[in-house]
Amino acid sequence: MFTDSHSPTSHVAARQHSLRERNLELVARAVFDSPAPLSRADVAAMTGLARATVSTLVDRLVAGGLLTELEPVAAARAGRPAVPLVPAPRTVVGIGLEVNIDYLGATVLDLTGAVVEEKVVRGQFHNSDAVALLTELGRLAASLIESCERDEMRVAGARLALPGLVDSGTGLLRVAPNLGWQGIDPVPLLGLDPKPVVVANNAKLAAVAELAGDVPPSFLYVTANVGIGGAVVVDRQLFLGERGWSGEIGHVVIDPNGPLCGCGARGCLEQYAGKAALMRAAGMPDDARLADLAQALMAGETAPLAAMQVAAAALGSALGDFVNLVDVGTVVLGGAYAILLPWLRDEVAIAINDRVLAAPYAPIEVRGAAAGSYAAMTGGAMEVLRDVLADPARWV
């Protein structure tokens, strides 16, 4: 579940004594990456390490609370029963935080990928006060940290997901048009020091959450709320771009003479296929529920169906250009699009395949996201736990 999304994983043993900690990471990753529990002998065979070395390293990981042992399983032939190894539940946890246009929240995941606790606060945060909102989110996160530590879980840190341009080098939020935020340093406002907090774009963290499921190794992830965000995943690694700003598909221009966007440009994709634009075109309030729109679509109401056709054509056009540039074979639709998938998928797929030069030889697949409603929070917590696996010696 927690395979590194930024660098390829290798299960090749490092045999030099000075690289002992690297071998500890190899053993941990072998267990975490396996779809089924492994025994010590399985780990030794997978990594090339000696069985005695593996046993010593496993003992460290078990004592440190990263792995746990299941009941022994009788061997198929004479010998000692195999002891299956699995990630340890409720020992080390990561926290995913998010501010979005209509909610803020936090999710706590343990090493098994299970949700330990989750809190979400609903609201309308367009043009909100960044200091007040991030302070509130910090208080919410602090209460979860206190609860985890009271139950003797160690909190490895947090990832904060924001819907805007996040500088991957400095952690600064350059701009979040739909929140009305600009030039914000979010981490100090949370007040979670000394817990490490890293800031990232919400669509990219949501794409990370998809990696826990059955997705191809390369795909384009697109999510919609009021805004539209995207992320490019290549060989299970996020392609971030030079400053971490890749994937801003919501501001691809569909019509330069179109409606004014919150970013200052005209005719951006968000003005045709964003949630608020969809609601307006369907004759509903901007803040109407997606369930209400889905109900109107199921009833065959004319305006909502027409709005979906316009959105699908615009989305397919933008995605087709994107696919021509990056060459991925799968598009994953998340957020509002996952809920509206029955009325979007076919039309979007047709529009994409009409525009992609290579489509006659390798058609583009369009599928719905599987990570759930708060995928960015889940992906954020997963990223924290990936850091634990990248350096397990710190935790054992």
Side-chain angles (χ1 to χ4, degrees):
M1 177 178 183
F2 301 119
T3 300
D4 193 340
S5 65
H6 302 299
S7 61
T9 299
S10 171
H11 291 306
V12 178
R15 299 184 182 277
Q16 298 178 28
H17 180 73
S18 60
L19 298 180
R20 175 174 49 193
E21 307 308 344
R22 169 63 174 159
N23 288 337
L24 189 71
E25 179 193 353
L26 283 172
V27 170
R29 285 193 180 279
V31 175
F32 274 81
D33 291 351
S34 176
L38 301 177
S39 67
R40 284 170 168 79
D42 295 330
V43 174
M46 182 176 292
T47 62
L49 290 165
R51 289 196 184 190
T53 301
V54 168
S55 186
T56 298
L57 296 173
V58 165
D59 287 343
R60 287 183 65 192
L61 292 165
V62 170
L66 299 191
L67 300 182
T68 191
E69 298 174 310
L70 302 180
E71 291 297 318
V73 176
R77 53 188 179 184
R80 296 175 58 185
V83 178
L85 300 164
V86 293
R90 301 179 72 87
T91 53
V92 178
V93 297
I95 299 181
L97 308 173
E98 183 176 10
V99 177
N100 214 312
I101 195 69
D102 55 2
Y103 68 88
L104 57 84
T107 293
V108 182
L109 293 188
D110 70 9
L111 291 166
T112 72
V115 176
V116 174
E117 194 169 355
E118 184 171 85
K119 292 186 178 180
V120 175
V121 177
R122 292 283 175 184
Q124 292 299 320
F125 302 129
H126 183 65
N127 290 329
S128 55
D129 183 329
V131 174
L133 206 58
L134 289 166
T135 300
E136 181 180 354
L137 180 59
R139 285 195 292 264
L140 187 153
S143 71
L144 291 179
I145 292 170
E146 181 181 358
S147 174
C148 289
E149 293 181 340
R150 189 167 54 244
D151 291 337
E152 299 184 344
M153 289 177 268
R154 290 177 288 170
V155 178
R159 287 287 192 281
L160 170 61
L162 295 174
L165 288 181
V166 176
D167 190 316
S168 58
T170 65
L172 295 177
L173 176 70
R174 297 299 184 183
V175 63
N178 291 310
L179 291 175
W181 296 2
Q182 190 167 355
I184 303 294
D185 186 3
V187 173
L189 299 175
L190 293 171
L192 297 179
D193 190 62
K195 300 297 182 188
V197 180
V198 176
V199 189
N201 173 265
N202 61 345
K204 292 177 177 60
L205 291 179
V208 169
E210 290 299 312
L211 289 170
D214 181 23
V215 291
S218 300
F219 59 93
L220 172 61
Y221 178 85
V222 184
T223 183
N225 198 298
V226 173
I228 301 173
V232 182
V233 177
V234 179
D235 292 334
R236 300 187 65 83
Q237 301 174 53
L238 280 172
F239 172 73
L240 297 176
E242 184 177 344
R243 293 171 294 273
W245 298 345
S246 68
E248 288 295 330
I249 194 168
H251 299 287
V252 169
V253 174
I254 300 299
D255 179 1
N257 297 313
L260 184 66
C261 181
C263 72
R266 287 192 173 274
C268 293
L269 177 62
E270 287 186 2
Q271 301 307 307
Y272 300 90
K275 179 186 168 186
L278 273 170
M279 293 300 182
R280 287 194 298 270
M284 305 173 74
D286 285 10
D287 58 354
R289 299 181 309 153
L290 284 168
D292 295 334
L293 178 57
Q295 186 174 6
L297 289 164
M298 284 187 286
E301 295 183 18
T302 302
L305 288 172
M308 292 302 292
Q309 288 182 335
V310 171
L315 186 59
S317 174
L319 290 174
D321 291 344
F322 223 80
V323 170
N324 274 325
L325 286 170
V326 300
D327 184 27
V328 293
T330 302
V331 173
V332 179
L333 300 179
Y337 294 151
I339 296 171
L340 301 172
L341 197 67
W343 300 278
L344 273 178
R345 178 167 47 195
D346 290 348
E347 293 299 323
V348 169
I350 290 170
I352 291 175
N353 283 288
D354 280 348
R355 297 186 71 89
V356 173
L357 183 64
Y361 317 104
I364 309 305
E365 178 192 6
V366 177
R367 60 163 69 181
S373 300
Y374 305 114
M377 287 155 55
T378 300
M382 288 173 59
E383 284 284 83
V384 173
L385 295 174
R386 283 197 179 93
D387 287 349
V388 173
L389 290 185
D391 187 13
R394 290 183 55 228
W395 299 90
V396 301

